[in-house]
Structures are given as C-alpha cells and as structure tokens.
C-alpha cells in the first residue's frame, strides 16, 4: 500500500482484503466509517466482509466476479452495514486486483466512500418525481412541464381529452402551437410573468384549438419550478372551462339585454340596497321623474334624497314587502327636486353580488288619481 502516513490521512476509507473476504488493512477513515476506534479493533471484529458488511451478501459475489473479469471495480455502489452499530449506509467502492510479479492474484485494494446522504437525496428525488407523475397522470387537469421557450418536456394523459392529442405528440413543441392565434400575444406576455415570478397566481383563460377542429376555453395557471429538481421546468396546469365560458357568455348577453330593457323602459326603474335604500342603478325615466341627475342619485339613499314625502313611508313599504315577499301596485306619495305626486310601486327582492337588493318599478299615477 501507499505510505502509511498518507494512508491514514486520506478522507475516504482505504482497505486491503484477501480475495476470500478477510480484511487485512484499514485506514483511519474506514475505521471511523465502521464505528470503531482503531484499525486493530476493526480487523479483529470483521471475519467475513461478504457475510458481515454487505446488506445483500450477493454483492460480494458480484464484486469478485467483476474483479475476475476486469481486474477492477469502478463506482461499485452497495448498501452496507456500519459494522459495529449495524446501521445501514450506502457506499461507493473503487478497487483493483493486486498481482505478484508472476501475474498471480494476491489481494484486493480499494477505497470506500460514504454516499448515504447523496443516495437518500436521489431516492427522495426519485420518489418526488414518481409522485408528481402519479398525481398528474390520474388528474383530469392537463399538466405540462415546459422550458422558458414553452417547449413541452412532459404532458399528462389529460391532453387526450382537452386537446385531442396524445401526450407524446406534444413533446418538443411550443405550447403556442395549439393556442388560438388571437390569444397568443396575451399568453406570451403572461407566460413571461410566470418565468420571472411576477404572476398573480390567478388563472388566465385562453382559447385553444382541439384536434377535432373545435375551439375550447381553458383556464391556465403557471408555476415557476425550474429550481425544483423533481420538476426542472415551468409547470402549466390547464382545465377545460368551455361550458363555464358558454354560461358566462349567455349571462353577459342576458345582462346586456336586461340593461337595455332597464334603461329603455317607459316606467321608472331602480335597483337599490334593501337595508338602507341606497340607489345602485336608475333608468332615464326615474331620472326624469325625480328631477335629479343620475350622478346625484347613485350611491345615496332614497331618504337622503327626500324621495319619500313622509319619514315613515319607506318603513311601511318595506314592512309590506316583508309580509308578502313582494309588492304590487303600492300607492305612496313621492317628491322630486321640483314636484310632488303619487306613484304606484311594484317591487321584487333580488341579489346583486350577494347583497340583498330591491328591483322597483314606479309609475307616476298623479294625473290618473286627480281625474
């Protein structure tokens, strides 16, 4: 072996063994690795490396086979026992067969490096990768892992439903290949925010082109995971929101139709909060009836604007509403900026953004009553 002073100063374990598996020499690092205080103590304790050191005794047979074939072993990784405590650790061995001048095999010499921490990190990473795949491959959400150019390196099986394409068909292609052309500029800008970790964490909705020629709506959420070794890229999650977007479109259309009808009605229409009568919306007919500009009314209550002639009139009206759940043709005096009269009110309770409100229709019946 090398000079004994160097032998004992090496930071990795160094040994000499017989071909049959008896330990002949061990440096200080190998002594410590096995939990002993001295080389003599270790040599006395170990009688068979194959039976006592390797967790799987077959590893020693594999070691001997490689030595016989190649005269050396390189990066021979095994799970072994820390001899004294029987704790399991992982080591990497590099060793060679020493021969005499006549070429006859004498013994083995080699090094042992404790790689337990690295091995456990690798196992944790492998587990994390398997778990990531298992979660994404069973989900209805399409998950992709892309690089900063949006080139796909992984796609989950949900691509078959959401895009009509096999996961393998998406690999090595940029995600913009199936985003609707009109949505690509916005998608690129928002993807850059994900890359730079400036995104809000809120989903974005895009149109995508399904393989069957249809256009689908997807909600996309991105997460920068390039520094996570289990992922190694940017994770994009897509879910199909086509039905939701169709319902929202129908709702928006209905809202526009309602707003048009609301503003064009010949009757005075208002939407106000139920609890205090704050005006949220008024149509042109009510503006004309009250004599106040819309800007003067919105955000203020009917009591503040003195629309009710008597202080208790609104309370009586609300009480009638509570008794019946709705009001029909409720006659009450009213006053505007410049005139007083009599109105017939019909009202229904509604909700606006979760707030109890009132939709009221007021018709000026002053002249009818006067006649």
């Amino acid at each position: 072996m090398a000079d004994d002073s160097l032998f004992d100063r090496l930071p990795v374990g160094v040994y000499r063994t017989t071909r049959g598996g008896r330990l002949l020499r061990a440096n200080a690092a190998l002594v410590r690795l096995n939990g002993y205080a001295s080389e003599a103590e270790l040599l006395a304790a170990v009688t068979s490396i194959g039976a006592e050191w390797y967790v799987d005794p077959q590893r020693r047979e594999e070691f001997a086979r490689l030595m016989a074939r190649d005269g050396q072993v390189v990066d021979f990784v095994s799970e072994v026992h820390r001899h004294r405590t029987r704790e399991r650790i992982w080591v990497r061995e590099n060793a060679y067969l020493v021969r005499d001048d006549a070429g006859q095999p004498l013994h083995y010499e080699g090094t042992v490096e404790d790689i337990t921490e690295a091995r456990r990190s690798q196992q944790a990473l492998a587990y994390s990768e398997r778990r990531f795949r298992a979660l994404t491959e069973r989900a209805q959400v399409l998950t992709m892992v892309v690089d900063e150019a949006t080139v796909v390196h992984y796609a989950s099986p949900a691509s078959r439903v959401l895009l009509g394409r096999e996961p393998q068909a998406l690999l090595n292609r940029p995600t913009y290949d199936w985003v609707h052309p009109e949505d690509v500029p916005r998608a690129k800008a928002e993807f850059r925010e994900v890359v730079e970790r400036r995104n809000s964490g809120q989903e974005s909705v895009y149109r995508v082109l399904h393989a069957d020629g249809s256009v689908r709506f997807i909600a996309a959420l991105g997460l920068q995971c390039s520094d996570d070794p289990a992922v190694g890229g940017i994770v994009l999650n897509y879910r199909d929101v086509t039905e939701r977007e169709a319902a929202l479109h129908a709702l928006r259309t209905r809202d526009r139709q309602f707003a048009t009808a609301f503003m064009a009605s010949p009757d005075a229409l208002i939407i106000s909060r139920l609890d205090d009568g704050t005006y949220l919306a008024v149509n042109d007919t009510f503006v004309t009836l009250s004599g106040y500009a819309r800007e003067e009314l919105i955000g203020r209550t009917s009591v503040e604007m003195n629309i009710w002639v008597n202080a208790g009139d609104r309370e009586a009206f609300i009480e009638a509403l509570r008794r019946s759940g709705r009001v029909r043709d409720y006659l009450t005096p009213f006053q505007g900026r410049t005139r007083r009269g009599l109105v017939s009110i019909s009202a229904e309770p509604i909700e606006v953004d979760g707030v109890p409100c009132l939709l009221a229709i007021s018709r000026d019946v002053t002249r009818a009553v006067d006649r």
Side-chain angles (χ1 to χ4, degrees), residues 210-262:
H210 194 276
D212 64 10
S214 65
V215 174
R216 306 286 179 90
F217 285 85
I218 55 99
L221 185 63
L223 185 63
Q224 171 60 282
C225 296
S226 296
D227 52 359
D228 185 341
V231 180
I234 297 155
V235 177
L236 300 177
N237 287 315
Y238 301 105
R239 61 189 184 91
D240 194 326
V241 293
T242 304
E243 291 185 5
R244 186 194 74 179
E245 288 300 307
L248 288 174
H249 177 73
L251 181 61
R252 286 190 290 266
T253 300
R254 189 183 68 188
D255 286 347
R256 286 194 297 270
Q257 293 170 340
F258 173 80
T260 300
F262 181 89

Side-chain angles (χ1 to χ4, degrees), residues 26 137 157 164 167 174 191 219 221 248 283 285 315 339-340 347 360:
E137 290 182 4
F191 179 77
L221 185 63
L248 288 174
N283 72 348
T285 306
E315 287 77 3
R339 61 187 288 263
R340 288 191 176 194

Side-chain angles (χ1 to χ4, degrees), residues 266-279:
D267 293 321
L269 301 181
I270 66 165
I271 296 175
S272 62
R273 284 206 300 256
L274 184 60
D275 60 351
D276 60 6
T278 297
Y279 292 118

Side-chain angles (χ1 to χ4, degrees), residues 16 31 54 62-65 83 89 99 108 149 157 170 179 184 206 235 238 248 258 264 274 287 294 331 341 345 362:
R16 174 185 292 164
V31 169
Y54 293 100
E62 177 65 10
F63 180 94
R65 188 187 68 80
H83 193 270
I89 61 174
R99 299 177 182 272
Y108 302 141
L170 306 181
V179 174
V184 167
Y206 306 114
V235 177
Y238 301 105
L248 288 174
F258 173 80
L274 184 60
V287 167
R294 181 174 286 102
L331 292 176
I345 305 176
S362 299

Side-chain angles (χ1 to χ4, degrees), residues 49 157 169 196 199 307 313 326 344:
I49 292 174
E196 297 172 358
N199 56 311
I307 297 298
D313 286 350
R326 60 173 61 181
S344 172

Side-chain angles (χ1 to χ4, degrees), residues 43-63:
L43 295 183
V46 179
T47 59
S48 173
I49 292 174
E52 300 171 19
W53 201 49
Y54 293 100
V55 171
D56 177 5
Q58 299 299 317
R59 291 297 288 164
R60 182 64 181 181
E61 294 181 13
E62 177 65 10
F63 180 94

Side-chain angles (χ1 to χ4, degrees), residues 177-232:
D177 280 4
W178 48 84
V179 174
H180 193 287
E182 293 178 4
D183 292 348
V184 167
R186 180 166 59 89
K188 285 185 175 180
E190 294 184 349
F191 179 77
R192 180 50 47 187
E193 292 180 353
V194 174
V195 172
E196 297 172 358
R197 303 180 193 273
R198 295 185 293 106
N199 56 311
S200 65
Q202 301 296 314
E203 289 182 321
S204 299
V205 176
Y206 306 114
R207 289 169 293 175
V208 294
L209 307 175
H210 194 276
D212 64 10
S214 65
V215 174
R216 306 286 179 90
F217 285 85
I218 55 99
L221 185 63
L223 185 63
Q224 171 60 282
C225 296
S226 296
D227 52 359
D228 185 341
V231 180

Side-chain angles (χ1 to χ4, degrees), residues 156-176:
S156 68
S159 64
R160 298 185 183 107
V161 175
L162 198 145
L163 296 173
R165 296 173 172 87
E166 289 294 322
Q168 294 80 3
L170 306 181
L171 301 182
N172 302 314
R173 294 175 56 190
T175 59
Y176 305 126

